Amino acid sequence: MADEEKKLIWIGSSKKDLMALPLDVRKFFGHALDFAQHGDQHDAAKPLKGFGGAGVLEVVEDDAGGTYRAVYTVKFAEAVFVLHCFQKKSKRGIATPKEDMDIIRARLKMAEALAKERRHDQAHD
């Protein structure tokens, strides 16, 4: 477990989306993100399929209202980037719906650009 806490950066509407979820789900996701910030991985965090490896992780939590997911990346040394928080509404198995995958892909690109920018800024401080 790392001593230094990584910054948590919310991409797009991910924080607003998280705040709209039920309290217990928010607490659970917050706990899992805290693990990530400290260089650890919560037991509930699993690599998200379609992103080639463990750089993009998802945490899934169920409550009476349905199934919820938080997706984040630990791919960049600069910070933990929260890419997407949503309620899974798909009726077709456990696969993440295409619209959500598209959002995650687009936000991952944004996170990559932000990480590069932060790296650049730190190099010139």
Side-chain angles (χ1 to χ4, degrees):
M1 191 124 152
D3 292 333
E4 197 174 314
E5 182 176 290
K6 278 188 176 183
K7 187 168 172 58
L8 196 62
I9 297 178
W10 303 86
I11 303 291
S13 62
S14 58
K15 186 167 190 176
K16 181 175 72 75
D17 298 339
L18 175 75
M19 298 314 287
L21 302 181
L23 180 62
D24 288 345
V25 174
R26 290 199 319 253
K27 284 182 179 175
F28 185 77
F29 288 165
H31 188 62
L33 289 169
D34 186 60
F35 268 69
Q37 284 182 273
H38 289 91
D40 220 341
Q41 185 174 316
H42 192 279
D43 288 342
K46 305 281 184 268
L48 181 60
K49 286 178 178 62
F51 290 91
V56 178
L57 301 159
E58 77 170 335
V59 180
V60 180
E61 177 69 341
D62 293 310
D63 90 334
T67 299
Y68 302 89
R69 295 182 178 195
V71 179
Y72 62 95
T73 184
V74 293
K75 238 168 102 161
F76 311 107
E78 290 72 21
V80 173
F81 292 89
V82 183
L83 304 173
H84 195 28
C85 297
F86 61 103
Q87 179 175 5
K88 184 178 175 299
K89 295 188 173 98
S90 171
K91 302 292 180 251
R92 297 186 305 274
I94 60 168
T96 304
K98 182 187 181 316
E99 306 81 62
D100 291 305
M101 291 299 280
D102 290 345
I103 288 170
I104 293 163
R105 279 194 188 88
R107 290 184 180 172
L108 183 59
K109 283 191 178 92
M110 291 166 67
E112 195 164 359
L114 278 170
K116 275 186 187 155
E117 202 175 286
R118 292 176 71 89
R119 222 172 290 141
H120 178 82
D121 289 350
Q122 286 172 346
H124 293 91
D125 277 347

